[in-house]
Amino acid sequence: MKNSALVDIENEYADLFEIDINLDRLVKKIELLSYLNPLNIEKEKQRFFASKYTEDPLFKYPKIKFDPYKLHRLFYSQRLERIEDEEIREMYQEIIYYYSNMIQCIETIGEGKKFYYNSLRVFGTPTEKDVQNARYILHFEDEPIPIEMEKVYSAEEAKTYFEKFVEQYDFPLNIRLSTSLAADAMVSNSTQSLVIKKNAKFSKNKLLTLANHEIGVHLVTTFNGMDQPLKIFSNGFPKNVETQEGLAVFSEYMSGALTLKRLKELSYRVLASDSLIKGSSFSDTFDMIHNQYKLNKNDAFTITMRAHRGGGFTKDRLYLSGLRKIYKRYKKGVTMDPLLTGKVNMEYEQGIQHLFDQGLAQNITHKNVAFLENRNTNKTLDFILNNLK
């Protein structure tokens, strides 16, 4: 039941709440990653390997379940002029532009350059500093592989592990298995569930990593966002990926799960995005990662596929830059709580504070358990993170 203070706020900002609810209804239809995970990854991987890495994969994608033109029209029909607070009105304008870009991304998946340019508007390109940081990390010698890195757990065993892990959080965990997933696991924000790749094998370290990344941040921000008066916290502020993924990898670091191998994986992703930007084909990018950097063919394929899917997708460049920004914040002793209020972007922190001041946002219900104590014991990681540009 709503408290009387919230009812008063809703009455005072009735137009804002009406627009926010309208947008919530529309946004539910556009979860980009659910459309961008190819349906035939394994088949195309085998074909690519059989061709000695020369025939680029031809990925198939899920059919769109909405009318893009109609959805655009509904987004732009919101009467934002009715929001009297100028700062909030401008924020919602940016939100509508962002989601409109997201629709354009979805409707052009698989259409080569069309999708690529739409994706660039949302996720941007790696900077020269990003590329330098990635190369810097890859210069470090590989560490010995401990027993925790052996892939011995099935998807069912992973499910049991995550169910146990979530007991330290005060929210339900809905888990489902899927055969068409680009990652080993991901959170579906719209269904508040954790999706696990059915045919994946997991190491002990991977389970700890995924638990702190997916549950500790992505589900924490999902449920915190749902507790906020405004739905935008749950649906996502513009360009929130860098902040969200930065927090998620930082959660891996704080829990002691982050390894140099994982940091290198994030670096390969930056180089794959950079290779894409420079016009490389799928096989060119794969060749660079597999032959030049000597990464095994399965991991090299996954990293290349993540960057080239849809026609060119640069989201993966944001994990490393996000981690750098969040780590810098941590070193300054600044709290992470405002960034856990929902799917928020660090750049909107001032605007979010304004929402707090107006009574339109509230303190978080769920904290990240890993943020309470730094369990990282790897001095190399500290050295690297302290020296990123």
Side-chain angles (χ1 to χ4, degrees):
M1 203 171 128
K2 289 178 185 174
N3 62 41
S4 59
L6 185 54
V7 171
D8 291 344
I9 292 282
E10 285 184 5
N11 290 334
E12 187 186 342
Y13 288 93
D15 290 328
L16 169 63
F17 276 92
E18 188 187 325
I19 289 165
D20 185 67
I21 287 164
N22 288 344
L23 292 180
D24 177 57
R25 212 168 42 241
L26 301 177
V27 168
K28 289 279 181 277
K29 297 174 180 165
I30 52 175
E31 194 161 19
L32 176 62
L33 287 182
S34 64
Y35 288 110
L36 198 53
N37 283 322
L39 299 168
N40 57 340
I41 296 172
E42 286 306 315
K43 188 176 163 225
E44 287 305 297
K45 179 161 124 180
Q46 297 317 323
R47 194 173 70 82
F48 179 67
F49 288 169
S51 77
K52 301 277 191 289
Y53 322 138
T54 56
E55 286 180 32
D56 288 0
L58 299 166
F59 293 122
K60 289 182 182 143
Y61 302 93
K63 282 196 164 54
I64 298 177
K65 293 175 184 163
F66 60 86
D67 178 338
Y69 176 77
K70 197 173 164 189
L71 204 52
H72 275 298
R73 206 178 67 211
L74 290 168
F75 268 110
Y76 283 111
S77 68
Q78 302 307 313
R79 295 173 59 192
L80 296 186
E81 66 280 0
R82 287 162 59 190
I83 301 175
E84 287 175 18
D85 186 305
E86 191 182 346
E87 195 172 338
I88 298 174
R89 184 170 66 244
E90 282 177 9
M91 194 188 288
Y92 271 77
Q93 256 171 8
E94 287 167 19
I95 287 162
I96 285 174
Y97 289 142
Y98 171 70
Y99 282 115
S100 178
N101 277 343
M102 207 59 100
I103 297 168
Q104 284 176 296
C105 277
I106 294 170
E107 66 178 318
T108 52
I109 287 172
E111 293 184 25
K113 289 282 182 225
K114 257 188 185 176
F115 171 78
Y116 167 71
Y117 289 123
N118 285 328
S119 149
L120 283 189
R121 281 214 296 274
V122 179
F123 301 101
T125 63
T127 64
E128 197 45 53
K129 263 186 195 163
D130 293 338
V131 175
Q132 282 172 4
N133 284 335
R135 289 192 178 129
Y136 168 70
I137 290 166
L138 293 171
H139 276 138
F140 284 82
E141 257 187 62
D142 287 343
E143 293 174 331
I145 297 172
I147 196 151
E148 287 84 28
M149 303 300 274
E150 274 185 50
K151 293 183 177 183
V152 290
Y153 299 100
S154 67
E156 281 297 338
E157 287 168 318
K159 183 172 180 283
T160 307
Y161 177 91
F162 296 137
E163 283 165 349
K164 183 87 186 125
F165 181 88
V166 84
E167 285 172 10
Q168 56 197 320
Y169 287 98
D170 185 24
F171 51 72
L173 181 62
N174 172 28
I175 298 181
R176 59 189 172 85
L177 304 180
S178 168
T179 48
S180 55
L181 214 55
D184 286 335
M186 65 171 265
V187 162
S188 166
N189 190 39
S190 58
T191 58
Q192 299 97 52
S193 56
L194 178 64
V195 191
I196 304 175
K197 195 177 196 172
K198 199 173 187 176
N199 52 356
K201 280 287 201 194
F202 302 85
S203 67
K204 193 176 177 184
N205 172 267
K206 185 73 169 179
L207 292 177
L208 184 65
T209 300
L210 287 170
N212 284 285
H213 182 110
E214 302 294 345
I215 297 171
V217 170
H218 292 325
L219 275 178
V220 161
T221 54
T222 291
F223 284 104
N224 279 337
M226 286 167 69
D227 288 342
Q228 292 292 344
L230 293 167
K231 308 279 187 195
I232 189 55
F233 281 90
S234 177
N235 292 321
F237 280 72
K239 302 190 175 178
N240 64 69
V241 169
E242 187 177 42
T243 300
Q244 293 301 303
E245 297 302 352
L247 283 167
V249 181
F250 179 70
S251 178
E252 298 173 28
Y253 163 79
M254 289 294 279
S255 68
L258 189 65
T259 60
L260 179 58
K261 183 178 186 285
R262 168 73 165 150
L263 216 45
K264 285 189 173 190
E265 180 192 324
L266 303 184
S267 304
Y268 288 128
R269 290 181 182 183
V270 173
L271 296 188
S273 292
D274 187 53
S275 162
L276 173 79
I277 299 300
K278 289 177 174 151
S280 299
S281 66
F282 187 101
S283 34
D284 290 338
T285 302
F286 176 86
D287 180 66
M288 173 191 72
I289 294 170
H290 178 52
N291 291 324
Q292 194 180 324
Y293 281 99
K294 305 292 182 239
L295 185 65
N296 72 73
K297 67 177 185 177
N298 285 308
D299 289 347
F301 180 88
T302 300
I303 284 163
T304 306
M305 180 268 296
R306 287 176 63 110
H308 281 266
R309 59 185 158 160
F313 188 50
T314 55
K315 171 189 176 238
D316 273 1
R317 77 174 188 91
L318 294 165
Y319 287 68
L320 194 58
S321 59
L323 171 62
R324 184 182 61 79
K325 288 177 182 176
I326 296 292
Y327 184 78
K328 217 164 147 187
R329 182 188 178 101
Y330 163 69
K331 292 302 273 188
K332 286 180 186 165
V334 182
T335 175
M336 301 294 168
D337 286 2
L339 306 184
L340 293 172
T341 49
K343 307 293 176 187
V344 308
N345 174 351
M346 236 192 263
E347 289 172 18
Y348 279 83
E349 211 163 343
Q350 201 181 323
I352 289 164
Q353 187 53 53
H354 180 65
L355 293 177
F356 268 100
D357 296 343
Q358 308 307 308
L360 290 162
Q362 58 193 32
N363 290 330
I364 59 175
T365 314
H366 311 286
K367 287 187 178 269
N368 174 297
V369 172
F371 291 175
L372 303 175
E373 182 194 350
N374 188 343
R375 292 177 183 272
N376 173 59
T377 54
N378 188 328
K379 296 288 173 248
T380 306
L381 291 187
D382 285 326
F383 181 81
I384 290 172
L385 293 174
N386 282 317
N387 284 289
L388 292 179
K389 290 177 180 165

